Amino acid sequence: MNPLPQISEAEFEVMKIIWKYAPISTNEITEKLLQTTSWSPKTIQTLIKRLVTKGALTYEKQSRVFVYTPTVKKSEYIGRESNSFLKRYYDGDITAMLSAYIENDKLSETEIEHLRALLSRTPK
């Protein structure tokens, strides 16, 4: 299996659209990102090209339209980034990370209850 590519924050915004709507054309990606960003269509096309070069996307030309599909699963990428964040900022200690979020009111009661439910079904 190939290692997951490094994806910038801007590229990640493009990937979120592609993960949600793939297969998706250049025009559809651009249309959706113009609703949520101040990027120009040229910037969006550049980001797409970078993602293809990095191996995060593949494309197929259908008539005169390029249609993109992710080669990286969202869950795999998010998992790697989460682990990287945890290691970098909390020395891999998830308890310290959750404590920091809870103590600084970063988690709602609903989120805390959801975590309790997840923890209660986790094997020990």
Side-chain angles (χ1 to χ4, degrees), residues 59-67:
Y59 66 91
E60 185 179 292
K61 191 170 184 184
Q62 296 178 357
S63 192
R64 295 173 55 180
V65 176
F66 288 93
V67 177

Side-chain angles (χ1 to χ4, degrees), residues 2 7 20 24 28-29 39 44-45 48 63 65 68 77 103-104:
N2 291 337
I7 298 174
K20 187 171 184 178
I24 184 170
E28 291 169 320
I29 296 167
W39 300 338
I44 295 167
Q45 289 174 0
I48 294 169
S63 192
V65 176
Y68 295 89
Y77 186 78
E103 289 168 10
N104 294 304

Side-chain angles (χ1 to χ4, degrees), residues 45-99:
Q45 289 174 0
T46 298
L47 292 168
I48 294 169
K49 286 178 190 173
R50 284 185 193 163
L51 288 164
V52 169
T53 300
K54 290 179 177 188
L57 295 178
T58 188
Y59 66 91
E60 185 179 292
K61 191 170 184 184
Q62 296 178 357
S63 192
R64 295 173 55 180
V65 176
F66 288 93
V67 177
Y68 295 89
T69 305
T71 60
V72 173
K73 290 182 180 176
K74 183 178 182 181
S75 60
E76 289 176 5
Y77 186 78
I78 299 281
R80 183 194 70 189
E81 291 301 303
S82 296
N83 286 336
S84 176
F85 176 84
L86 184 61
K87 287 176 187 170
R88 182 174 181 184
Y89 294 103
Y90 295 96
D91 295 323
D93 184 353
I94 195 162
T95 304
M97 182 187 80
L98 288 172
S99 294

Side-chain angles (χ1 to χ4, degrees), residues 15-34:
M15 288 300 294
K16 288 194 304 190
I17 297 297
I18 296 168
W19 280 318
K20 187 171 184 178
Y21 299 103
I24 184 170
S25 72
T26 307
N27 288 341
E28 291 169 320
I29 296 167
T30 302
E31 179 184 305
K32 291 184 183 310
L33 285 169
L34 288 175

